Amino acid sequence: AKSLAAAGLCAWVINIVTYYRVYCDVEPKRLALSQANAELSAAQEKLGQIKAKIKELDDNLAELTASFEKATADKLKCQQEAESTQRTISLANRLVGGLASENVRWAESVENFKIMASKLPGDVLLIT
């Protein structure tokens, strides 16, 4: 006759063997999953660092672009001021050139006024 104790022991051994086979099949997959998760974590960390670096570079690019645009605007303003100043200098030179010829006439007028001033007391006496 069959022994119930031996049947229980046989079922336990069969289950242990089945567990061992499943374990041998699943354990490499667990290790691979663990390794893949570690690689994923490392890759995500590296991706985070790269994204941070990209953000830093984008911010730097925006800052440099703004600085470049300001410098370009300043350059344009300086060029316009230089052109305006050049026009003013040109007009001033024309004015000075025009007034230089008047210098001779003014000098003659000054001499005439000096002569007239020296004769003024006599002219006043003659009129009164």
Side-chain angles (χ1 to χ4, degrees):
K2 297 181 181 177
S3 167
L4 286 178
L9 186 60
C10 284
W12 180 80
V13 169
I14 291 171
N15 286 334
I16 290 295
V17 170
T18 303
Y19 172 80
Y20 176 75
R21 288 184 185 148
V22 169
Y23 179 81
C24 287
D25 189 38
V26 170
E27 187 59 25
K29 293 177 182 176
R30 275 191 200 160
L31 293 175
L33 175 64
S34 176
Q35 183 179 358
N37 281 335
E39 289 173 3
L40 175 63
S41 177
Q44 285 176 334
E45 182 180 331
K46 190 173 182 180
L47 177 63
Q49 291 172 349
I50 291 172
K51 283 185 177 181
K53 184 68 175 176
I54 287 173
K55 183 183 181 320
E56 178 185 335
L57 291 174
D58 282 343
D59 292 345
N60 192 18
L61 177 64
E63 191 177 307
L64 289 174
T65 300
S67 176
F68 174 73
E69 288 173 358
K70 183 182 181 306
T72 303
D74 288 347
K75 176 188 167 197
L76 183 61
K77 181 181 174 187
C78 286
Q79 286 176 335
Q80 290 171 345
E81 287 178 4
E83 290 171 2
S84 175
T85 303
Q86 186 60 39
R87 283 192 302 270
T88 304
I89 289 171
S90 175
L91 291 173
N93 284 336
R94 285 178 38 201
L95 179 63
V96 168
L99 293 176
S101 65
E102 290 291 313
N103 188 26
V104 173
R105 190 177 66 82
W106 288 347
E108 290 173 359
S109 294
V110 168
E111 287 302 318
N112 287 337
F113 290 141
K114 283 182 184 177
I115 293 170
M116 288 171 60
S118 66
K119 294 180 182 179
L120 186 64
D123 289 344
V124 170
L125 285 175
L126 287 175
I127 292 175
T128 56

